[in-house]
């Protein structure tokens, strides 16, 4: 499919300045994950009706990829990560019914979702799957990337917690995913722990190792307040697709806000297919209304996630455990950081909370 | 008389098994089968005076009458190919891959199945750690849904585990129902790359009816943990099991159980509890087979 990139829009108010726009001449794709990562903010309670309304808005506003799944991917509905209001397949089916131009994506974490889950998602109409592993564990994605290719799906290798390994190691893991069939590889700052210079180092290392033709993506969280800046830095360093979610919905302090990102890409001179003003309306009139009272904030808990490098999805689980066991949220988060807990280990939150509350084993 | 044991697969699991068989009074390791002459496992076993071959499973099949027990420590795909050959040769097989060709055996729950079947599956490391707890809860209440999370150190996950992530989750989940007695189930596996490596951790969640007796559940869990500890010394509850009324789906009671497995340090260090629990369980199963044969 040929995409029609439009020339960047000037800000309606600010006059043009004389500096050269850093992304002038770059075509940048936008992936919106409001209906996947954003689901963390509302404890995975999106309904099919919500999905239809949001996905239609995103599609009409011209985003390129729309991701719809439980926040922890296919099969994520569980005690450990929270039960969804409706199944992945129901939500994907709802999105499929309204999306005309964008690609419909699902997330899959090997160890949580299975190839059977992927087959059902494929039958429900996804175009693309993002297979996510911890940044040092790419080799557990082979079964799923191969399987996705066999189903004829477009594939993304999604290297979570990219801050935990250096640029060279990340490039090695990216190579494993590319060799297994990933069409695009992502630098994923799951903990919102990276600053622009660290994003640049990693994107450049991937670019050097994977060559000029391999698309590279960036998924940013806003725990250190640099979500949009990180996405822009990635684009300037050679990433050609960036993630966001409306109103920054998402784990921790949330993702880079897609509508802010679209505006910032415009102001940076990038060419996109997004109609920025329409997307701003989707964020404000649809997403903010559906998720009222639950929009993410850069508060103490989410700042600590970024500061200590902890998986953003832990925030709301930690908040609940802190209340249940009468322990400070910050104490639990910092102890999780000390234990080098990684994405998926949400069960350790209760464990740490129990330990900090001083409840001992019966004799 | 001691049973003569052949181990197929000279990776981490096979090498750990050899060590445990050497300690058993009922079992003797007499052959280690590999496919790579340069593998560390084959070299170590040869040094210990155990016969080794790098020519694969045909060597074992050609002399099938010399072995009483075969331990399959390859991968799910390889076992699927080998299983019919073992059956034809009349061999008794304990399968440590998640192939699940034969029925499951979890020693603390259904050990005597070894008397009835010639090919038994050891589920997975996570299954050996968590199925007993689900079975314990099932003794005290109806388990509407059981879910487990196994976290293992990245360093203790060999190529077999890495290539078989789906088989791990599917097989473990199946055993939670078939052996654990849960009506529905889910299994999750997480690899943690931290250095120094973390101990194997397992969490069991179960949804039971709101009127279930909490004390009966807690007592049954403790008793079961003791039973597992008898053949896996590093198996332990790390916190008091939690019982939360109304916290499960549809107003059910949520039971949460936190477990750690530290390894015996036979082939890999103590962090490899995942390795230890499945090899220890297979040795317990083979020893029971030896007792029942006598």
């Amino acid at each position: 499919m040929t995409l029609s990139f439009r020339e960047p829009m000037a800000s309606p108010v600010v006059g043009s300045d004389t500096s050269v726009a850093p992304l002038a001449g770059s075509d940048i794709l936008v992936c919106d994950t409001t209906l996947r990562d954003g689901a963390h903010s509302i404890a995975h309670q999106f309904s099919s009706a919500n999905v239809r309304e949001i996905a239609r808005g995103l599609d009409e506003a011209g985003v390129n990829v729309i991701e719809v799944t439980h926040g922890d991917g296919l099969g994520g509905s569980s005690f450990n990560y929270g039960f969804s209001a409706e199944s992945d397949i129901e939500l994907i089916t709802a999105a499929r019914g309204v999306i005309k131009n964008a690609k419909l994506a699902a997330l899959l974490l090997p160890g949580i979702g299975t190839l059977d889950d992927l087959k059902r998602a494929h039958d429900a109409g996804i175009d693309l799957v993002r297979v996510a592993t911890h940044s040092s564990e790419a080799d557990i994605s082979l079964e799923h990337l191969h399987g996705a290719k066999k189903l004829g799906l477009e594939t993304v290798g999604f290297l979570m917690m990219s801050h935990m390994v250096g640029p060279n190691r990340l490039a090695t893991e990216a190579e494993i995913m590319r060799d297994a069939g990933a069409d695009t590889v992502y630098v994923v700052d799951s903990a919102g722990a990276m600053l622009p210079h660290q994003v640049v180092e990693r994107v450049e290392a991937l670019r050097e190792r994977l060559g000029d033709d391999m698309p590279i993506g960036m998924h940013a969280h806003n725990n250190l307040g640099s979500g949009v800046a990180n996405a822009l830095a990635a684009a300037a360093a050679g990433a050609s697709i960036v993630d966001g979610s409306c109103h920054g919905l998402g784990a921790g302090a949330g993702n880079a806000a897609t509508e802010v990102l679209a505006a910032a890409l415009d102001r940076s001179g990038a060419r996109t297919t997004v109609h920025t003003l329409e997307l701003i309306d989707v964020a404000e009139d649809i997403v903010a209304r559906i998720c009222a009272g639950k929009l993410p904030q850069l508060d103490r808990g989410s700042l600590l996630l970024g500061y200590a490098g902890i998986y953003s999805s832990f925030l709301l689980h930690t908040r609940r455990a802190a209340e249940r066991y009468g322990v400070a949220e910050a104490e639990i988060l910092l102890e999780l950081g000390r234990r080098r807990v990684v994405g998926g280990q949400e069960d350790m939150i209760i464990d740490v909370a129990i330990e900090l509350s001083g409840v001992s084993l019966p004799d | 008389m001691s049973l003569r044991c052949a181990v197929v697969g000279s990776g981490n699991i096979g090498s750990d098994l050899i060590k445990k068989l050497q300690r058993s009074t009922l079992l003797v390791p007499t052959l280690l089968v590999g496919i790579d002459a340069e593998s560390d496992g084959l070299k170590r076993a040869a040094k210990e005076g155990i016969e080794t071959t790098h020519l694969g499973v045909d060597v074992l099949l050609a002399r099938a009458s010399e072995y009483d027990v075969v331990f399959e420590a390859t991968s799910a795909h390889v076992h699927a190919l080998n299983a019919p050959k073992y059956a034809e040769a009349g061999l008794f097989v304990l399968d440590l891959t998640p192939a699940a060709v034969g029925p499951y055996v979890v020693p603390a729950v259904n050990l005597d199945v070894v008397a009835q079947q010639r090919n038994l599956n050891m589920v997975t490391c996570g299954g050996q750690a968590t199925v007993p707890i689900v079975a314990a809860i099932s003794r005290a209440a109806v388990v509407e849904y059981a879910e487990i999370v196994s976290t293992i150190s990245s360093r203790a996950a060999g190529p077999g585990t890495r290539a078989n992530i789906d088989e791990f989750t599917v097989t473990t989940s199946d055993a939670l129902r078939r052996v654990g007695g849960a009506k529905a189930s889910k299994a999750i596996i997480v690899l943690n790359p931290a250095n120094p490596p973390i101990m194997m951790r397992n969490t069991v969640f179960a949804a039971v009816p709101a009127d279930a007796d909490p004390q009966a559940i807690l007592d049954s869990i403790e008793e079961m943990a003791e039973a597992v500890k008898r053949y896996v010394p590093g198996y332990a509850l790390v916190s008091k099991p939690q019982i939360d009324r109304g916290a499960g789906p549809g107003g059910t009671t949520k039971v949460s159980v936190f477990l750690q497995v530290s390894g015996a340090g036979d082939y890999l260090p103590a962090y490899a509890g995942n390795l230890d629990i499945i090899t220890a369980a297979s040795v317990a199963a083979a020893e029971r087979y030896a007792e029942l044969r006598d």
Side-chain angles (χ1 to χ4, degrees):
Chain A
M1 183 173 72
T2 320
L3 298 172
S4 55
F5 288 93
R6 58 164 181 74
E7 291 309 315
M9 240 171 37
S11 157
V13 177
V14 184
S16 63
D17 50 35
T18 50
S19 61
V20 177
L23 295 175
S26 303
D27 293 344
I28 303 294
L29 300 174
V30 174
C31 166
D32 184 278
T33 183
T34 306
L35 294 169
R36 196 280 298 169
D37 206 328
H40 284 292
S41 295
I42 59 158
H44 320 287
Q45 298 302 301
F46 279 126
S47 66
S48 291
N50 296 154
V51 168
R52 274 191 292 274
E53 197 177 358
I54 295 170
R56 182 182 289 123
L58 292 170
D59 190 50
E60 288 173 355
V63 305
N64 305 100
V65 178
I66 298 171
E67 188 173 51
V68 182
T69 334
H70 182 283
D72 296 84
L74 293 169
S77 179
S78 58
F79 270 123
N80 205 32
Y81 309 120
F83 290 102
S84 312
E86 294 187 35
S87 74
D88 292 325
I89 299 305
E90 286 169 307
L91 301 181
I92 288 168
T93 304
R96 182 72 283 166
V98 297
I99 293 175
K100 299 199 176 87
N101 297 309
K103 289 174 182 167
L104 176 55
L107 181 77
L108 186 154
L109 277 68
I112 299 175
T114 64
L115 265 179
D116 277 344
D117 293 325
L118 182 60
K119 281 175 194 148
R120 282 191 284 273
H122 168 261
D123 293 345
I126 60 166
D127 304 298
L128 183 163
V129 63
R130 310 209 291 178
V131 181
T133 74
H134 185 79
S135 52
S136 59
E137 313 296 317
D139 60 351
I140 66 167
S141 69
L142 271 52
E143 224 176 351
H144 309 86
L145 286 169
H146 291 155
K149 277 289 152 203
K150 239 181 243 172
L151 291 169
L153 293 168
E154 185 177 334
T155 50
V156 169
F158 207 66
L159 288 162
M160 300 188 294
M161 302 284 270
S162 283
H163 75 288
M164 285 181 83
V165 297
N168 269 327
R169 173 66 187 273
L170 194 68
T172 301
E173 300 289 326
E175 246 177 340
I176 291 171
M177 284 181 157
R178 179 204 51 197
D179 294 347
D183 299 313
T184 300
V185 182
Y186 259 71
V187 175
V188 181
D189 186 16
S190 317
M194 284 203 273
L195 295 172
H197 70 281
Q198 293 163 307
V199 173
V200 167
E201 281 174 348
R202 284 165 177 76
V203 171
E204 284 177 347
L206 263 60
R207 174 60 64 221
E208 190 179 327
R209 195 79 71 83
L210 303 175
D212 289 342
D213 297 336
M214 183 79 186
I216 294 171
M218 173 68 204
H219 176 92
H221 278 264
N222 204 36
N223 303 340
L224 290 178
S226 61
V228 170
N230 283 354
L232 289 179
S240 55
I241 179 164
V242 287
D243 281 13
S245 60
C246 287
H247 242 289
L249 214 63
N255 294 110
T258 323
E259 70 281 9
V260 181
L261 194 50
L265 285 169
D266 283 344
R267 299 284 288 134
S268 298
R271 294 163 20 116
T272 74
T273 64
V274 178
H275 312 288
T276 304
L277 290 173
E278 283 181 39
L279 189 62
I280 292 171
D281 290 345
V282 173
E284 191 70 20
D285 299 336
I286 303 176
V287 176
R289 168 172 48 78
I290 289 173
C291 304
K294 292 175 179 162
L295 297 177
Q297 294 180 328
L298 214 177
D299 54 13
R300 175 172 50 195
S302 47
L303 170 56
L304 282 175
L305 295 169
Y307 196 36
I310 297 161
Y311 199 58
S312 297
S313 317
F314 285 8
L315 182 65
L316 297 181
H317 297 285
T318 300
R319 204 153 275 173
R320 287 188 282 268
E323 195 173 317
R324 161 87 169 76
Y325 293 100
V327 182
E329 175 182 305
E331 266 191 77
I332 300 176
L333 290 172
L334 293 173
E335 177 59 21
L336 290 166
R338 280 191 281 274
R339 292 192 186 186
R340 310 287 285 171
V341 163
V342 300
Q345 288 188 271
E346 274 77 344
D347 54 320
M348 286 299 103
I349 296 168
I350 312 173
D351 189 67
V352 165
I354 294 170
E355 195 179 306
L356 291 173
S357 73
V359 179
S360 57
L361 266 181
D363 292 324
Chain B
M1 194 188 79
S2 301
L3 296 190
R4 301 158 299 174
C5 299
V7 175
V8 182
S10 60
N12 292 342
I13 297 266
S15 300
D16 192 76
L17 256 175
I18 293 284
K19 293 256 188 186
K20 288 184 168 57
L21 293 173
Q22 284 176 315
R23 276 206 303 273
S24 171
T25 53
L26 298 171
L27 311 167
V28 190
T30 52
L31 177 67
L32 177 62
V33 177
I35 49 171
D36 174 8
E38 294 305 310
S39 87
D40 178 60
L42 288 183
K43 285 184 183 166
R44 278 170 186 252
K47 224 181 270 173
E48 304 264 328
I50 295 163
E51 185 186 347
T52 62
T53 174
H54 67 276
L55 300 174
V57 77
D58 291 344
V59 174
L60 161 67
L61 292 166
R63 290 155 45 197
S65 64
E66 294 177 29
Y67 308 100
D68 303 303
V69 182
V70 174
F71 292 87
E72 179 87 68
T74 55
S75 72
H77 302 293
V78 173
H79 184 64
L81 297 174
N82 287 347
K85 300 178 192 166
Y86 297 142
E88 198 179 322
L91 287 160
F92 174 77
V93 184
L94 294 170
D95 167 25
L96 287 85
T97 79
V101 172
Y104 304 119
V105 56
V106 178
V109 184
N110 67 341
L111 188 54
D112 286 349
V113 71
V114 296
Q116 299 139 28
Q117 299 283 340
R118 302 294 289 169
N119 182 323
L120 289 160
N121 181 267
M122 302 306 306
V123 198
T124 59
C125 56
Q128 288 295 340
T130 59
V131 169
I133 298 299
V134 174
I137 301 170
S138 289
R139 290 193 302 217
V142 174
V143 176
E144 301 288 348
Y145 169 71
E147 174 183 316
I148 69 102
V149 186
S150 278
T151 303
I152 64 179
S153 165
S154 185
R155 293 191 176 205
T161 304
R162 290 173 174 279
N164 287 295
I165 290 287
D166 257 32
E167 285 82 349
F168 176 99
T169 53
V170 171
T171 298
T172 305
S173 177
D174 189 45
L176 293 173
R177 297 190 302 276
R178 288 177 189 270
V179 185
K183 286 197 199 167
S185 60
K186 177 170 185 65
I188 294 165
I189 180 171
V190 180
L191 299 185
N192 179 307
N195 197 15
I198 57 149
M199 293 287 171
M200 183 200 196
R201 293 296 310 256
N202 300 278
T203 299
V204 177
F205 298 109
V208 299
D211 60 358
D213 174 6
Q215 198 54 49
I217 293 172
L218 292 173
D219 291 347
S220 183
I221 290 170
E222 284 210 36
E223 196 182 305
M224 184 61 84
E226 285 307 312
V228 177
K229 207 175 167 63
R230 268 176 234 134
Y231 58 93
V232 187
Y235 188 81
L237 294 169
V238 284
S239 313
K240 185 177 162 31
Q242 303 288 299
I243 302 210
D244 295 278
R245 277 185 185 264
T252 52
T253 294
K254 175 186 180 189
V255 181
S256 313
V257 185
F258 305 93
L259 302 155
Q260 176 169 298
V261 185
S262 49
D266 284 333
Y267 179 66
L268 289 183
Y271 62 74
N274 57 311
L275 207 74
D276 208 68
I277 192 167
I278 193 165
T279 54
S282 70
V283 167
E287 287 182 338
R288 183 66 179 150
Y289 176 68
E291 287 165 3
L292 292 172
R293 252 175 54 129
D294 285 344

